[in-house]
Amino acid sequence: MPDRRRSSPSAVAGRVAAVFPTPGRVPGEHRLPGPLEQRAYLIGGRVRAWEGPLREVYSPLRLRSGSSLRRVRLGAYPALSAKESRAALAAARRAYDDGRGTWPTLPVGERIRHVEAFTAAMVARRGEVVRLLMWEVGKSLADATKEFDRTVEYIRGTIDALKDLDRVSSRLVIEQGVFAQIRRAPLGVALCMGPFNYPLNETFTTLVPALIMGNTVVFKPPKLGVLLWQPLLESFRDCFPRGVVNTVYGDGATVVGPLMESGGVDVLAFIGTSRVADILKHQHPEPHRLRSVLGLDAKNPAIVLPDADLGNAVGECLLGALSFNGQRCTALKILFVHRAVADEFVSRLAAAVDALPVGMPWDPGVWITPMAEEAKPAYLRELVDDAVSRGAAVRNAAGGTVLETYFHPAVLYPVAGGMRVWDEEQFGPVIPVVPFAEVSEPLDYVRNSPFGQQISLFGSDAAGMARLIDPLVNQVCRVNLNSQCQRGPDAFPFTGRKDSAEGTLSISDALRVFSIRTLVAAKGSEANKELLSAILQERRSAFLSTDFIL
Ligand code: G3H
């Protein structure tokens, strides 16, 4: 947590003005060796070199040169056309081969060995990936490292969960004289697309369960956070059979539209906006065949009751609203605070924001860094101006200051319906605080909201909290008590209602969403028993097998 001593407004303004360093102030170990001109893409087990047009990548981090700020070019990546995209899908379909391919028919233990080999190769590239996360999306060193390590843990957790699942399925069941072996089988070709805020982690949380369950995959990196996949491309090629993992790069409409329109995608795993998810789903010619796993929009509220421990509530709301600059789907995006404590809450929150270290991702203890999306600061400024024009005030020093890609967090109070920030998902460091007199006011907000991911409740009276918990669990999918909203721990189910999600992801749930239950059954005649015994004892089938993974 940051040092909570309030900084003077001029000290805050000074820190904001000096947020971008000169090149000489970038520590040697965090400098990039030079622009990464990526021409490589992976299709059908071959890393190919793209000769066509490239998309330029610039960092959200600026470097100071005299009185001006310079953009930093990080490199470029292939702007593939629909032709390559179709080739990627064709390679994935060939590798799946209508469920007859090597990968979907491989015994689970062997699929696990491929994923383990990939994990080891990935860990060897940790430093490069973390550095690119900092430069490409502006994530702090601590958070970028956490994202990488959490992803590796997620993969290892997935392997353990699959072993458990397989052990439970490694036996025959007998019901009403019918023998059966019930397992989970793959669905086909999965298209996996993660978001720019967790480009590595949230892509892998669908990619890995999809793969390990025997599906083949086409994946497209998000619009930001593309170059960081380059160090992993050869590992994908070396660790999986040909065509099991394929990549597409470039403009979404150009490379993703044709995939969906072809009808060749069986599972759509997408983390992004509900608007784009709707477009993609509607492009599929036979939508009933498409399984979707979607993580979408959210505007998670907090409700601070008069009996809440205000110190804890401020700390958790700060974390919830400003971790990675508020660029999290799970971020707290609107705070309802009871009138009896609202002034005190806002004053403590503003002081805490004033004390936050701002700067570059590698600065020790940094909280607020430049925004990943170039156009975001201007959008956030519009939200602040709109709220101020309708009666709110910015309550912290330098709140809403824009310096190129840097946007200084703004605590807005009092916020009310009719302001844009009441409805719009800001996905950035704007903290709207709404005073309320009756708890029915925030409850009505939740009921009328198009979103239904999570909520945070702050209070200490057991009866009062319980009265809120019971209706809220039917409106959102996680009620956090005296704690910020968050996805983790990854063993917990992560999902949402209404416009917020489709399907549930957790380490074990993800194995289920990328597979379907299928069984081999036989009436228990003597002849069938002999047949089953022969197949099992002679180990003739990967599916019909009582082998137990140790
Ligand atoms: O952007 C949404 C992420 O899933 C948030 O994950 O709550 O663990 O930071 P997190």
Side-chain angles (χ1 to χ4, degrees):
M1 294 296 281
D3 177 356
R4 288 293 171 70
R5 279 166 303 177
R6 184 157 206 161
S7 303
S8 71
S10 60
V12 176
R15 287 209 298 271
V16 172
V19 74
F20 294 110
T22 55
R25 302 279 308 272
V26 180
E29 69 270 32
H30 301 308
R31 288 185 194 163
L32 289 169
L36 188 60
E37 311 297 349
Q38 183 184 336
R39 291 189 172 271
Y41 62 107
L42 175 65
I43 292 185
R46 206 154 59 79
V47 173
R48 306 174 188 210
W50 173 243
E51 300 298 336
L54 299 173
R55 288 192 136 195
E56 297 283 301
V57 181
Y58 285 90
S59 175
L61 312 180
R62 302 284 196 262
L63 291 179
R64 186 171 294 286
S65 163
S67 59
S68 61
L69 294 172
R70 180 167 65 74
R71 293 178 85 197
V72 180
R73 183 176 175 277
L74 299 179
Y77 63 85
L80 299 181
S81 74
K83 183 168 162 244
E84 291 72 39
S85 172
R86 288 196 193 96
L89 181 61
R93 290 231 68 90
R94 267 198 307 281
Y96 191 69
D97 194 16
D98 296 313
R100 300 169 306 172
T102 307
W103 186 248
T105 54
L106 212 55
V108 167
E110 287 185 39
R111 283 209 297 266
I112 286 175
R113 275 192 281 283
H114 284 272
V115 174
E116 283 172 338
F118 174 79
T119 313
M122 173 178 171
V123 168
R125 312 302 291 265
R126 180 174 184 260
E128 287 161 83
V129 175
V130 166
R131 194 163 46 198
L132 283 163
L133 267 170
M134 290 193 284
W135 282 97
E136 278 196 274
V137 299
K139 191 166 275 199
S140 71
L141 175 61
D143 283 347
T145 308
K146 195 162 104 192
E147 178 168 350
F148 189 95
D149 294 346
R150 177 182 179 178
T151 306
V152 172
E153 268 175 46
Y154 187 95
I155 301 175
R156 293 187 174 138
T158 302
I159 291 172
D160 289 343
L162 180 57
K163 285 182 180 170
D164 279 347
L165 190 65
D166 194 74
R167 287 172 190 138
V168 172
S169 320
S170 290
R171 58 189 282 267
L172 266 58
V173 291
I174 311 169
E175 278 293 333
Q176 298 174 20
V178 181
F179 288 66
Q181 182 154 31
I182 307 168
R183 287 186 182 277
R184 300 202 73 95
L187 296 164
V189 174
L191 172 60
C192 297
M193 291 185 285
F196 77 82
N197 59 333
Y198 284 83
L200 186 80
N201 181 264
E202 292 214 318
T203 308
F204 270 110
T205 58
T206 61
L207 185 65
V208 166
L211 278 175
I212 210 163
M213 291 312 287
N215 303 281
T216 60
V217 167
V218 175
F219 85 88
K220 178 184 170 296
K223 60 181 177 181
L224 308 168
V226 181
L227 298 177
L228 60 89
W229 288 94
Q230 160 87 3
L232 305 179
L233 269 196
E234 288 173 359
S235 309
F236 277 123
R237 179 197 62 194
D238 297 341
C239 299
F240 292 99
R242 184 182 308 165
V244 170
V245 182
N246 307 276
T247 59
V248 292
Y249 295 95
D251 172 56
T254 309
V255 296
V256 179
L259 298 183
M260 295 307 296
E261 284 158 8
S262 73
V265 172
D266 302 300
V267 195
L268 170 65
F270 172 71
I271 321 272
T273 64
S274 55
R275 186 187 65 79
V276 173
D278 282 344
I279 294 172
L280 297 175
K281 284 179 78 161
H282 286 123
Q283 284 172 335
H284 197 287
E286 288 157 306
H288 60 276
R289 285 196 184 186
L290 181 69
R291 180 83 68 95
S292 298
V293 189
L294 309 173
L296 306 171
D297 324 306
K299 190 156 173 101
N300 293 339
I303 303 179
V304 181
L305 298 167
D307 58 355
D309 170 344
L310 273 200
N312 175 66
V314 166
E316 290 293 316
C317 287
L318 194 72
L319 269 174
L322 294 184
S323 295
F324 190 33
N325 311 323
Q327 299 166 119
R328 293 160 65 222
C329 61
T330 48
L332 284 173
K333 296 187 180 117
I334 189 159
L335 312 181
F336 290 88
V337 184
H338 193 276
R339 281 194 187 287
V341 291
D343 285 344
E344 172 70 10
F345 178 90
V346 169
S347 138
R348 289 204 207 182
L349 182 65
V353 173
D354 287 351
L356 292 179
V358 308
M360 293 295 103
W362 45 80
D363 290 341
V366 71
W367 262 55
I368 308 298
T369 55
M371 305 298 297
E373 297 167 289
E374 279 293 314
K376 204 49 174 292
Y379 165 74
L380 295 174
R381 187 65 234 180
E382 278 178 25
L383 292 186
V384 170
D385 290 344
D386 170 76
V388 168
S389 75
R390 294 171 201 278
V394 175
R395 298 297 292 262
N396 59 306
T401 303
V402 173
L403 189 59
E404 301 232 351
T405 49
Y406 183 80
F407 180 90
H408 194 65
V411 177
L412 286 172
Y413 178 77
V415 162
M419 298 178 184
R420 285 177 60 186
V421 77
W422 175 269
D423 300 303
E424 292 179 31
E425 182 183 4
Q426 64 270 42
F427 217 79
V430 171
I431 315 178
V433 184
V434 185
F436 70 88
E438 299 296 334
V439 80
S440 58
E441 296 165 40
L443 292 183
D444 282 347
Y445 179 87
V446 174
R447 194 161 52 83
N448 295 323
S449 166
F451 314 111
Q453 191 195 65
Q454 299 191 16
I455 192 166
S456 291
L457 299 182
F458 294 92
S460 56
D461 173 56
M465 292 287 267
R467 266 197 303 280
L468 293 178
I469 291 168
D470 289 354
L472 284 169
V473 289
N474 295 340
Q475 313 242 340
V476 297
C477 285
R478 176 163 164 168
V479 177
N480 300 279
L481 305 184
N482 296 313
S483 318
Q484 66 150 329
C485 296
Q486 61 184 53
R487 173 177 178 151
D490 288 326
F492 286 0
F494 178 54
T495 185
R497 299 169 186 272
K498 301 194 250 184
D499 290 355
S500 287
E502 185 174 336
T504 301
L505 289 174
S506 72
I507 289 177
S508 54
D509 285 303
L511 297 177
R512 289 176 170 75
V513 297
F514 286 101
S515 60
I516 188 164
R517 300 233 294 168
T518 181
L519 56 146
V520 176
K523 286 186 180 170
S525 66
E526 286 311 311
N528 275 346
K529 284 186 200 168
E530 270 178 38
L531 178 69
L532 289 173
S533 294
I535 293 173
L536 291 172
Q537 281 165 13
E538 294 161 24
R539 295 200 160 121
R540 301 233 171 230
S541 162
F543 185 98
L544 190 56
S545 160
T546 48
D547 283 357
F548 192 85
I549 299 180
L550 293 172

